[in-house]
């Protein structure tokens, strides 16, 4: 990933535990720097990046326990949109759970390259076995541009499982 360009990461997750630290995806190199990773920790959606975020490079988003979050042991779509301006001098990260746009993080560095040679799914950049993702991951996609909010919503709606059909038999 080049932190000077826009991109989107989106996929379905079915976590069994969001209290323990467990990473959904990370980008790393042999020295783990610079890196980007996101996942769950203390019931929060956590984003961590050495070249992009301030305050110890971590941003936690409290999971909304409302209609936007289907809960643990259920499928949820997580999307992160990295949106850089045309000069790559400013940027924001949009975080979505299911189709709800939850927040916007300012990228604090004007530029920087995520020089990782590996993309890991279900593991953090340091490969700490106690922080592997607990649950299921499906249909992860990486786009080479920032998807709009409407595109993230449409992507979520297109991939929803069909509603169950209830068929009743008339009484005899």
């Amino acid at each position: 990933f080049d932190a000077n360009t826009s991109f989107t990461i989106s996929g379905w997750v079915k976590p069994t535990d969001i209290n323990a630290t467990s990473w959904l995806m990370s980008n790393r190199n042999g020295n783990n720097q610079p890196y980007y990773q996101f996942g769950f920790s203390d019931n929060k959606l956590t984003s961590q990046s050495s070249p992009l975020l301030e305050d110890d490079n971590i941003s936690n988003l409290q999971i909304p326990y409302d209609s936007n979050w289907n809960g643990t042991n259920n499928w949820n779509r997580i999307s992160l949109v990295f949106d850089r301006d045309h000069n790559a001098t400013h940027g924001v990260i949009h975080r979505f759970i299911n189709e709800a746009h939850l927040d916007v993080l300012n990228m604090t560095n004007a530029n920087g390259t995520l020089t990782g040679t590996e993309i890991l799914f279900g593991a953090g950049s340091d490969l700490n076995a106690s922080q592997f993702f607990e649950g299921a991951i499906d249909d992860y996609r990486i786009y080479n541009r920032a998807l709009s909010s409407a595109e993230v919503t449409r992507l979520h709606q297109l991939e929803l499982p069909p509603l169950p059909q209830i068929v009743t038999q008339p009484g005899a």
Side-chain angles (χ1 to χ4, degrees):
F1 298 114
D2 183 345
N4 293 319
T5 62
S6 297
F7 60 94
T8 301
I9 303 167
S10 186
W12 289 94
V13 298
K14 186 178 181 182
T16 57
D17 181 10
I18 61 171
N19 203 14
T21 299
S22 61
W23 299 109
L24 291 167
M25 192 229 65
S26 64
N27 168 267
R28 75 178 201 141
N29 62 19
N31 299 323
N32 297 335
Q33 293 289 337
Y35 64 91
Y36 178 77
Q37 58 190 8
F38 72 94
F40 296 104
S41 182
D42 297 322
N43 293 311
K44 296 176 177 74
L45 182 63
T46 299
S47 296
Q48 188 174 20
S49 176
S50 65
L52 300 179
L53 301 172
E54 60 186 8
D55 298 330
D56 296 325
N57 309 318
I58 297 173
S59 176
N60 292 313
L61 171 66
Q62 184 67 48
I63 299 292
Y65 289 97
D66 57 19
S67 61
N68 297 327
W69 175 249
N70 296 327
T72 55
N73 298 308
N74 291 299
W75 287 104
N76 291 276
R77 181 171 222 25
I78 305 293
S79 300
L80 292 101
V81 177
F82 295 75
D83 192 5
R84 281 287 191 187
D85 68 6
H86 67 281
N87 293 322
T89 56
H90 299 88
V92 293
I93 302 171
H94 299 270
R95 293 191 288 190
F96 296 81
I97 294 180
N98 295 318
E99 59 186 298
H101 184 203
L102 298 177
D103 70 348
V104 177
L105 303 173
N106 287 318
M107 291 187 203
T108 56
N109 290 339
N111 58 41
T113 300
L114 299 173
T115 58
T117 56
E118 301 172 325
I119 296 176
L120 306 171
F121 291 94
S125 63
D126 62 0
L127 287 176
N128 182 338
S130 69
Q131 297 180 352
F132 288 164
F133 178 70
E134 296 180 35
I137 299 174
D138 191 26
D139 196 25
Y140 251 77
R141 299 175 181 196
I142 301 172
Y143 296 88
N144 64 356
R145 64 183 180 86
L147 297 182
S148 69
S149 292
E151 288 173 313
V152 170
T153 297
R154 185 72 179 132
L155 186 61
H156 173 74
Q157 292 170 347
L158 282 172
E159 296 180 353
L160 283 174
L163 294 174
Q165 293 183 4
I166 300 173
V167 179
T168 59
Q169 299 295 326

